[in-house]
C-alpha cells in the first residue's frame, strides 16, 4: 500500500535527508528520499513542491491533478545543481505521490455525547524535527501531526482499496471552546483533538471490550490541519489536548481508561 510504503521511506529520509557517497574518490551529490513537501501550483498551472524553508522542487514531469496540500514525494536530485536565483532544484520523481490526509477543523465546543477513541500524538524529536509535530509556514498556516492509532485487525494493508475504506472511517476533529480559545495569559491557542471511528457504538453490550479486541493493528500516520488563529490574539504556542489510553493493553473507547495529554508547538512570531 503506497501510504505505508512512503511512510517508511519518510521515516528514514524525513526532511530532506538523503545520502552522499564517494565513488572512486569522487563525491556523489545525488540525493534520494521521500520527504513530506507542500504541494504548490505555479501561475502557469503546473505543480511543484516546497520544503519548510521555502526551497522549491521542480518535477521532471507534469502532475495532472494535485489531491492535497502535502505529500510524500519520492524523488532524486543533484544538490550541486541548486538554482540560487529561483531558490530551487530540478527533481526526478521516482514514483507516485502519497498525499497526507487532513485533520478536520470544527471550531465549536466539544460535543458532550460522543464515542471517542484514544490515540497518541508522537513527539519523538530527531535531528530534523520531522518525527514531532510542527507548524508549517511563516504565517502559521498549517500544523503537521504524526499520529499513532489502531486499525481493525482484519484489514489487509496490502489492499489499497481496503485500506482507503478503513482509513475513511477514522475521523480526527479539532475543537476549541468559543470565547476561551486562548490561555489566561494569551500565550497559547488551546485546541482539542478528538478521534472517532465510524461503526463503533459505545451503547452496544461489551462495546469497549469488543473495540479493544478488534482494533489492534497499530498504524502510523501524518496528518495536517489548516490553522485558523482568531484575529484577536497573537499566541506564541499551540496547546493541543488529546485522549491517550492509560490501559497498557492498547487503544480504548472506555472513558475510565483514558487520560488527557497535551503537546505544545511553537508558532512563528511576526517581527
Amino acid at each position: 500500500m503506497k501510504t505505508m510504503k512512503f511512510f517508511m521511506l519518510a521515516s528514514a529520509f524525513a526532511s530532506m535527508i538523503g545520502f552522499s557517497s564517494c565513488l572512486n574518490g569522487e563525491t556523489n551529490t545525488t540525493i534520494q528520499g521521500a520527504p513530506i513537501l507542500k504541494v504548490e501550483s505555479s501561475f502557469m498551472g503546473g505543480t511543484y513542491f516546497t520544503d519548510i524553508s521555502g526551497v522549491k522542487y521542480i518535477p521532471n514531469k507534469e502532475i495532472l491533478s494535485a489531491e492535497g496540500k502535502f505529500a510524500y514525494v519520492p524523488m532524486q536530485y543533484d544538490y550541486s545543481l541548486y538554482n540560487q536565483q529561483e531558490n530551487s532544484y530540478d527533481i526526478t520523481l521516482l514514483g507516485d505521490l502519497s498525499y497526507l490526509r487532513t485533520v478536520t477543523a470544527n471550531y465549536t465546543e466539544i460535543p458532550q455525547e460522543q464515542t471517542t477513541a484514544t490515540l497518541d500524538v508522537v513527539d519523538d524529536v530527531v535531528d530534523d524535527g520531522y518525527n514531532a509535530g510542527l507548524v508549517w509556514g511563516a504565517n502559521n498556516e498549517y500544523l503537521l501531526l504524526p499520529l499513532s492509532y489502531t486499525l481493525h485487525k482484519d484489514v489487509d494493508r496490502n489492499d489499497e482499496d481496503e485500506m482507503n475504506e478503513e482509513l475513511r472511517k477514522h475521523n480526527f476533529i479539532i475543537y476549541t471552546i468559543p470565547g476561551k480559545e486562548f490561555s489566561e495569559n494569551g500565550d497559547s491557542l488551546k485546541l482539542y483533538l478528538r478521534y472517532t471511528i465510524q461503526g463503533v457504538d459505545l451503547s452496544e453490550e461489551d462495546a469497549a471490550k469488543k473495540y479493544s479486541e478488534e482494533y489492534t493493528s497499530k498504524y502510523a500516520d501524518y496528518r495536517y490541519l489548516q490553522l485558523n488563529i482568531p484575529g484577536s490574539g497573537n499566541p506564541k504556542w499551540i496547546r493541543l489536548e488529546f485522549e491517550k489510553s492509560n490501559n497498557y493493553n492498547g487503544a480504548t473507547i472506555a472513558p475510565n481508561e483514558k487520560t488527557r495529554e497535551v503537546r505544545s508547538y511553537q508558532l512563528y512570531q511576526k517581527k
Side-chain angles (χ1 to χ4, degrees):
M1 196 274 180
K2 290 187 291 185
T3 301
M4 282 305 297
K5 178 173 66 177
F6 290 151
F7 184 85
M8 297 300 183
L9 285 171
S11 296
F13 297 107
S15 85
M16 201 35 70
I17 293 180
F19 61 84
S20 60
S21 61
C22 293
L23 299 174
N24 299 323
E26 296 182 3
T27 300
N28 181 0
T29 57
T30 298
I31 297 225
Q32 288 184 338
I36 294 174
L37 298 177
K38 189 169 184 293
V39 182
E40 308 275 11
S41 295
S42 69
F43 292 115
M44 302 298 291
T47 298
Y48 65 97
F49 312 100
T50 55
D51 65 21
I52 196 168
S53 64
V55 176
K56 299 177 183 178
Y57 299 86
I58 315 297
N60 64 327
K61 63 180 181 180
E62 183 180 4
I63 297 169
L64 296 178
S65 61
E67 299 174 14
K69 300 286 188 181
F70 291 88
Y72 294 114
V73 184
M75 66 182 186
Q76 174 179 298
Y77 71 100
D78 186 335
Y79 72 79
S80 70
L81 299 179
Y82 170 66
N83 185 328
Q84 187 170 5
Q85 184 176 357
E86 298 294 333
N87 188 28
S88 67
Y89 291 101
D90 290 332
I91 64 170
T92 299
L93 293 177
L94 301 178
D96 295 333
L97 306 183
S98 184
Y99 290 91
L100 273 64
R101 296 172 183 265
T102 62
V103 175
T104 302
N106 185 352
Y107 292 114
T108 60
E109 195 158 353
I110 306 170
Q112 295 300 312
E113 298 298 327
Q114 192 179 43
T115 303
T116 57
T118 56
L119 73 156
D120 192 13
V121 179
V122 182
D123 62 349
D124 294 335
V125 178
V126 293
D127 290 343
D128 51 63
Y130 266 69
N131 278 5
L134 56 86
V135 175
W136 188 293
N139 294 317
N140 300 308
E141 295 101 338
Y142 299 94
L143 176 64
L144 269 62
L145 291 172
L147 306 178
S148 175
Y149 54 99
T150 54
L151 307 180
H152 195 282
K153 61 183 176 61
D154 294 334
V155 172
D156 182 359
R157 296 196 183 197
N158 294 316
D159 186 322
E160 187 170 354
D161 291 336
E162 191 171 326
M163 272 295 291
N164 283 331
E165 182 180 354
E166 170 70 14
L167 290 173
R168 279 193 289 268
K169 298 177 182 178
H170 296 255
N171 303 307
F172 302 88
I173 303 177
I174 290 286
Y175 295 96
T176 57
I177 298 178
K180 298 181 180 179
E181 294 92 346
F182 301 105
S183 57
E184 290 186 5
N185 62 4
D187 188 64
S188 301
L189 172 65
K190 297 188 293 183
L191 302 178
Y192 304 86
L193 173 62
R194 293 297 181 263
Y195 165 43
T196 62
I197 308 170
Q198 295 174 20
V200 174
D201 185 357
L202 193 59
S203 66
E204 293 181 359
E205 185 178 357
D206 296 327
K209 181 175 182 293
K210 180 180 178 183
Y211 171 81
S212 63
E213 290 175 347
E214 293 184 354
Y215 284 82
T216 57
S217 180
K218 291 185 178 180
Y219 185 71
D221 190 10
Y222 254 109
R223 298 217 175 195
Y224 69 92
L225 167 71
Q226 186 162 3
L227 290 171
N228 181 17
I229 299 175
S232 59
N234 186 30
K236 298 178 181 178
W237 297 87
I238 288 175
R239 177 190 183 277
L240 180 73
E241 181 199 278
F242 63 98
E243 296 176 317
K244 187 174 181 179
S245 174
N246 60 21
N247 179 352
Y248 292 107
N249 293 326
T252 182
I253 59 173
N256 64 338
E257 295 179 354
K258 298 176 184 177
T259 185
R260 292 181 180 177
E261 292 202 9
V262 172
R263 300 282 185 264
S264 295
Y265 307 101
Q266 190 167 11
L267 291 162
Y268 297 105
Q269 299 299 301
K270 295 179 180 180
K271 296 182 180 180

Short mmCIF file of all heavy atoms in Angstrom, two decimals, residues 203-239:
data_model
loop_
_atom_site.label_atom_id
_atom_site.label_comp_id
_atom_site.label_asym_id
_atom_site.label_seq_id
_atom_site.Cartn_x
_atom_site.Cartn_y
_atom_site.Cartn_z
N SER A 203 -22.91 2.20 22.94
CA SER A 203 -24.14 1.70 23.54
C SER A 203 -24.29 0.19 23.40
O SER A 203 -25.13 -0.43 24.06
CB SER A 203 -25.35 2.40 22.90
OG SER A 203 -25.46 2.05 21.53
N GLU A 204 -23.49 -0.41 22.52
CA GLU A 204 -23.55 -1.86 22.37
C GLU A 204 -23.06 -2.56 23.63
O GLU A 204 -22.21 -2.06 24.35
CB GLU A 204 -22.70 -2.31 21.17
CG GLU A 204 -23.22 -1.86 19.82
CD GLU A 204 -22.34 -2.36 18.69
OE1 GLU A 204 -21.33 -3.04 18.99
OE2 GLU A 204 -22.65 -2.08 17.53
N GLU A 205 -23.58 -3.74 23.87
CA GLU A 205 -23.13 -4.52 25.02
C GLU A 205 -21.67 -4.92 24.84
O GLU A 205 -21.26 -5.38 23.78
CB GLU A 205 -24.00 -5.78 25.18
CG GLU A 205 -23.68 -6.57 26.43
CD GLU A 205 -24.60 -7.79 26.59
OE1 GLU A 205 -25.50 -7.96 25.74
OE2 GLU A 205 -24.40 -8.53 27.55
N ASP A 206 -20.88 -4.70 25.88
CA ASP A 206 -19.44 -5.00 25.85
C ASP A 206 -18.73 -4.29 24.70
O ASP A 206 -17.77 -4.81 24.12
CB ASP A 206 -19.19 -6.51 25.74
CG ASP A 206 -19.69 -7.28 26.94
OD1 ASP A 206 -19.63 -6.72 28.05
OD2 ASP A 206 -20.15 -8.42 26.77
N ALA A 207 -19.18 -3.06 24.37
CA ALA A 207 -18.59 -2.34 23.23
C ALA A 207 -17.11 -2.05 23.45
O ALA A 207 -16.30 -2.21 22.52
CB ALA A 207 -19.36 -1.03 23.01
N ALA A 208 -16.74 -1.64 24.64
CA ALA A 208 -15.34 -1.29 24.90
C ALA A 208 -14.44 -2.52 24.77
O ALA A 208 -13.35 -2.45 24.20
CB ALA A 208 -15.20 -0.67 26.29
N LYS A 209 -14.91 -3.66 25.29
CA LYS A 209 -14.14 -4.90 25.21
C LYS A 209 -14.02 -5.32 23.74
O LYS A 209 -12.93 -5.72 23.28
CB LYS A 209 -14.82 -5.99 26.02
CG LYS A 209 -14.10 -7.33 26.03
CD LYS A 209 -14.80 -8.30 26.98
CE LYS A 209 -14.08 -9.64 27.05
NZ LYS A 209 -14.14 -10.38 25.77
N LYS A 210 -15.10 -5.21 23.01
CA LYS A 210 -15.10 -5.59 21.59
C LYS A 210 -14.13 -4.72 20.81
O LYS A 210 -13.36 -5.21 19.98
CB LYS A 210 -16.52 -5.45 21.02
CG LYS A 210 -16.64 -5.81 19.55
CD LYS A 210 -18.08 -5.65 19.08
CE LYS A 210 -18.21 -5.95 17.59
NZ LYS A 210 -19.59 -5.73 17.10
N TYR A 211 -14.13 -3.41 21.10
CA TYR A 211 -13.22 -2.50 20.40
C TYR A 211 -11.76 -2.85 20.68
O TYR A 211 -10.94 -2.94 19.76
CB TYR A 211 -13.49 -1.05 20.83
CG TYR A 211 -12.45 -0.09 20.32
CD1 TYR A 211 -12.49 0.39 19.02
CD2 TYR A 211 -11.40 0.33 21.13
CE1 TYR A 211 -11.53 1.26 18.53
CE2 TYR A 211 -10.43 1.20 20.66
CZ TYR A 211 -10.51 1.66 19.37
OH TYR A 211 -9.54 2.52 18.89
N SER A 212 -11.41 -3.06 21.95
CA SER A 212 -10.01 -3.33 22.31
C SER A 212 -9.52 -4.65 21.74
O SER A 212 -8.32 -4.83 21.52
CB SER A 212 -9.85 -3.33 23.83
OG SER A 212 -10.61 -4.37 24.42
N GLU A 213 -10.46 -5.57 21.45
CA GLU A 213 -10.06 -6.86 20.87
C GLU A 213 -9.95 -6.78 19.35
O GLU A 213 -9.14 -7.49 18.75
CB GLU A 213 -11.09 -7.93 21.24
CG GLU A 213 -11.07 -8.30 22.72
CD GLU A 213 -12.18 -9.28 23.08
OE1 GLU A 213 -13.10 -9.46 22.24
OE2 GLU A 213 -12.14 -9.84 24.19
N GLU A 214 -10.73 -5.90 18.72
CA GLU A 214 -10.77 -5.85 17.26
C GLU A 214 -9.83 -4.80 16.67
O GLU A 214 -9.29 -4.98 15.59
CB GLU A 214 -12.20 -5.59 16.78
CG GLU A 214 -13.15 -6.74 17.08
CD GLU A 214 -14.53 -6.49 16.51
OE1 GLU A 214 -14.78 -5.38 15.99
OE2 GLU A 214 -15.37 -7.43 16.58
N TYR A 215 -9.61 -3.68 17.38
CA TYR A 215 -8.75 -2.61 16.86
C TYR A 215 -7.37 -2.71 17.49
O TYR A 215 -7.05 -2.04 18.47
CB TYR A 215 -9.40 -1.24 17.11
CG TYR A 215 -10.53 -0.98 16.15
CD1 TYR A 215 -11.80 -1.50 16.39
CD2 TYR A 215 -10.34 -0.23 15.00
CE1 TYR A 215 -12.84 -1.29 15.49
CE2 TYR A 215 -11.37 0.00 14.09
CZ TYR A 215 -12.62 -0.54 14.35
OH TYR A 215 -13.63 -0.33 13.47
N THR A 216 -6.57 -3.58 16.90
CA THR A 216 -5.26 -3.89 17.49
C THR A 216 -4.10 -3.68 16.51
O THR A 216 -2.94 -3.88 16.88
CB THR A 216 -5.23 -5.36 17.96
OG1 THR A 216 -5.54 -6.21 16.85
CG2 THR A 216 -6.24 -5.60 19.08
N SER A 217 -4.39 -3.29 15.28
CA SER A 217 -3.35 -3.15 14.26
C SER A 217 -2.78 -1.73 14.30
O SER A 217 -3.41 -0.78 13.82
CB SER A 217 -3.93 -3.46 12.87
OG SER A 217 -2.94 -3.33 11.87
N LYS A 218 -1.60 -1.55 14.89
CA LYS A 218 -1.04 -0.21 15.07
C LYS A 218 -0.69 0.42 13.72
O LYS A 218 -0.18 -0.24 12.82
CB LYS A 218 0.21 -0.29 15.95
CG LYS A 218 -0.10 -0.64 17.40
CD LYS A 218 1.14 -0.59 18.26
CE LYS A 218 0.81 -0.89 19.72
NZ LYS A 218 2.01 -0.84 20.58
N TYR A 219 -0.97 1.72 13.64
CA TYR A 219 -0.78 2.43 12.37
C TYR A 219 -0.19 3.80 12.64
O TYR A 219 -0.62 4.51 13.56
CB TYR A 219 -2.14 2.57 11.67
CG TYR A 219 -2.06 3.18 10.29
CD1 TYR A 219 -1.51 2.48 9.23
CD2 TYR A 219 -2.56 4.46 10.05
CE1 TYR A 219 -1.46 3.03 7.95
CE2 TYR A 219 -2.51 5.01 8.78
CZ TYR A 219 -1.95 4.29 7.74
OH TYR A 219 -1.90 4.83 6.49
N ALA A 220 0.80 4.18 11.85
CA ALA A 220 1.45 5.49 11.96
C ALA A 220 1.02 6.34 10.77
O ALA A 220 1.02 5.88 9.63
CB ALA A 220 2.97 5.34 11.97
N ASP A 221 0.66 7.58 11.03
CA ASP A 221 0.01 8.39 10.01
C ASP A 221 0.30 9.87 10.24
O ASP A 221 0.02 10.39 11.32
CB ASP A 221 -1.50 8.14 10.08
CG ASP A 221 -2.27 8.74 8.92
OD1 ASP A 221 -1.64 9.19 7.95
OD2 ASP A 221 -3.51 8.75 8.99
N TYR A 222 0.87 10.55 9.25
CA TYR A 222 1.00 12.01 9.30
C TYR A 222 -0.29 12.62 8.76
O TYR A 222 -0.78 12.25 7.70
CB TYR A 222 2.17 12.48 8.44
CG TYR A 222 3.39 12.92 9.22
CD1 TYR A 222 4.55 12.16 9.21
CD2 TYR A 222 3.37 14.10 9.94
CE1 TYR A 222 5.67 12.56 9.91
CE2 TYR A 222 4.50 14.52 10.64
CZ TYR A 222 5.64 13.75 10.61
OH TYR A 222 6.75 14.16 11.31
N ARG A 223 -0.82 13.60 9.49
CA ARG A 223 -1.98 14.35 9.03
C ARG A 223 -1.69 15.84 9.20
O ARG A 223 -0.82 16.22 9.97
CB ARG A 223 -3.23 13.97 9.79
CG ARG A 223 -3.60 12.48 9.59
CD ARG A 223 -5.06 12.28 9.52
NE ARG A 223 -5.40 10.89 9.21
CZ ARG A 223 -6.60 10.50 8.81
NH1 ARG A 223 -7.57 11.39 8.65
NH2 ARG A 223 -6.84 9.23 8.56
N TYR A 224 -2.47 16.67 8.49
CA TYR A 224 -2.24 18.10 8.64
C TYR A 224 -3.54 18.83 8.92
O TYR A 224 -4.62 18.41 8.51
CB TYR A 224 -1.55 18.68 7.40
CG TYR A 224 -2.40 18.74 6.15
CD1 TYR A 224 -3.16 19.87 5.84
CD2 TYR A 224 -2.44 17.67 5.26
CE1 TYR A 224 -3.94 19.91 4.69
CE2 TYR A 224 -3.21 17.71 4.11
CZ TYR A 224 -3.96 18.85 3.82
OH TYR A 224 -4.72 18.89 2.70
N LEU A 225 -3.41 19.93 9.65
CA LEU A 225 -4.53 20.79 10.00
C LEU A 225 -4.27 22.18 9.43
O LEU A 225 -3.18 22.74 9.62
CB LEU A 225 -4.67 20.88 11.52
CG LEU A 225 -5.59 21.98 12.06
CD1 LEU A 225 -7.06 21.65 11.76
CD2 LEU A 225 -5.38 22.18 13.56
N GLN A 226 -5.25 22.73 8.73
CA GLN A 226 -5.14 24.12 8.29
C GLN A 226 -5.57 25.00 9.47
O GLN A 226 -6.70 24.93 9.94
CB GLN A 226 -6.00 24.40 7.07
CG GLN A 226 -5.80 25.79 6.51
CD GLN A 226 -6.30 25.92 5.08
OE1 GLN A 226 -6.84 24.98 4.50
NE2 GLN A 226 -6.10 27.09 4.49
N LEU A 227 -4.62 25.82 9.94
CA LEU A 227 -4.86 26.61 11.13
C LEU A 227 -5.72 27.83 10.83
O LEU A 227 -5.64 28.41 9.74
CB LEU A 227 -3.54 27.06 11.74
CG LEU A 227 -2.69 25.96 12.38
CD1 LEU A 227 -1.31 26.50 12.74
CD2 LEU A 227 -3.38 25.40 13.62
N ASN A 228 -6.51 28.22 11.81
CA ASN A 228 -7.31 29.43 11.73
C ASN A 228 -7.24 30.10 13.09
O ASN A 228 -8.09 29.89 13.95
CB ASN A 228 -8.76 29.09 11.35
CG ASN A 228 -9.63 30.31 11.24
OD1 ASN A 228 -9.14 31.44 11.13
ND2 ASN A 228 -10.93 30.11 11.28
N ILE A 229 -6.21 30.91 13.28
CA ILE A 229 -5.99 31.55 14.58
C ILE A 229 -6.89 32.77 14.68
O ILE A 229 -6.87 33.64 13.80
CB ILE A 229 -4.52 31.93 14.75
CG1 ILE A 229 -3.65 30.68 14.69
CG2 ILE A 229 -4.29 32.68 16.06
CD1 ILE A 229 -2.17 30.95 14.74
N PRO A 230 -7.71 32.86 15.72
CA PRO A 230 -8.59 34.03 15.87
C PRO A 230 -7.82 35.34 15.79
O PRO A 230 -6.71 35.46 16.32
CB PRO A 230 -9.20 33.82 17.26
CG PRO A 230 -9.14 32.34 17.48
CD PRO A 230 -7.87 31.90 16.81
N GLY A 231 -8.41 36.31 15.10
CA GLY A 231 -7.71 37.56 14.84
C GLY A 231 -7.42 38.40 16.07
O GLY A 231 -6.59 39.31 16.02
N SER A 232 -8.09 38.10 17.18
CA SER A 232 -7.91 38.92 18.38
C SER A 232 -6.69 38.55 19.19
O SER A 232 -6.39 39.21 20.18
CB SER A 232 -9.15 38.81 19.27
OG SER A 232 -9.37 37.46 19.66
N GLY A 233 -6.00 37.49 18.78
CA GLY A 233 -4.86 37.05 19.58
C GLY A 233 -3.60 36.87 18.76
O GLY A 233 -3.64 36.73 17.54
N ASN A 234 -2.49 36.87 19.46
CA ASN A 234 -1.19 36.62 18.84
C ASN A 234 -0.39 35.67 19.73
O ASN A 234 0.61 36.06 20.33
CB ASN A 234 -0.43 37.94 18.64
CG ASN A 234 0.87 37.74 17.86
OD1 ASN A 234 0.96 36.84 17.03
ND2 ASN A 234 1.85 38.57 18.14
N PRO A 235 -0.86 34.41 19.83
CA PRO A 235 -0.22 33.47 20.75
C PRO A 235 1.16 33.03 20.25
O PRO A 235 1.47 33.15 19.07
CB PRO A 235 -1.18 32.28 20.75
CG PRO A 235 -1.83 32.34 19.40
CD PRO A 235 -1.97 33.79 19.08
N LYS A 236 1.96 32.53 21.18
CA LYS A 236 3.29 32.02 20.85
C LYS A 236 3.30 30.50 20.69
O LYS A 236 4.25 29.95 20.13
CB LYS A 236 4.28 32.43 21.94
CG LYS A 236 4.46 33.94 22.10
CD LYS A 236 5.42 34.25 23.24
CE LYS A 236 5.57 35.77 23.41
NZ LYS A 236 6.47 36.08 24.55
N TRP A 237 2.26 29.86 21.22
CA TRP A 237 2.24 28.40 21.23
C TRP A 237 0.86 27.89 20.84
O TRP A 237 -0.16 28.57 21.04
CB TRP A 237 2.57 27.86 22.63
CG TRP A 237 3.93 28.19 23.11
CD1 TRP A 237 4.31 29.32 23.79
CD2 TRP A 237 5.10 27.41 22.95
NE1 TRP A 237 5.65 29.29 24.05
CE2 TRP A 237 6.18 28.12 23.55
CE3 TRP A 237 5.37 26.18 22.35
CZ2 TRP A 237 7.47 27.63 23.57
CZ3 TRP A 237 6.67 25.69 22.38
CH2 TRP A 237 7.70 26.42 22.98
N ILE A 238 0.84 26.68 20.33
CA ILE A 238 -0.39 25.90 20.23
C ILE A 238 -0.34 24.85 21.34
O ILE A 238 0.66 24.15 21.51
CB ILE A 238 -0.52 25.20 18.86
CG1 ILE A 238 -0.82 26.23 17.78
CG2 ILE A 238 -1.62 24.14 18.90
CD1 ILE A 238 -0.85 25.64 16.39
N ARG A 239 -1.42 24.78 22.09
CA ARG A 239 -1.55 23.78 23.14
C ARG A 239 -2.60 22.78 22.66
O ARG A 239 -3.78 23.10 22.57
CB ARG A 239 -1.98 24.44 24.45
CG ARG A 239 -2.22 23.48 25.62
CD ARG A 239 -2.88 24.22 26.77
NE ARG A 239 -3.07 23.37 27.93
CZ ARG A 239 -4.07 22.54 28.10
NH1 ARG A 239 -5.00 22.43 27.14
NH2 ARG A 239 -4.18 21.81 29.19
#
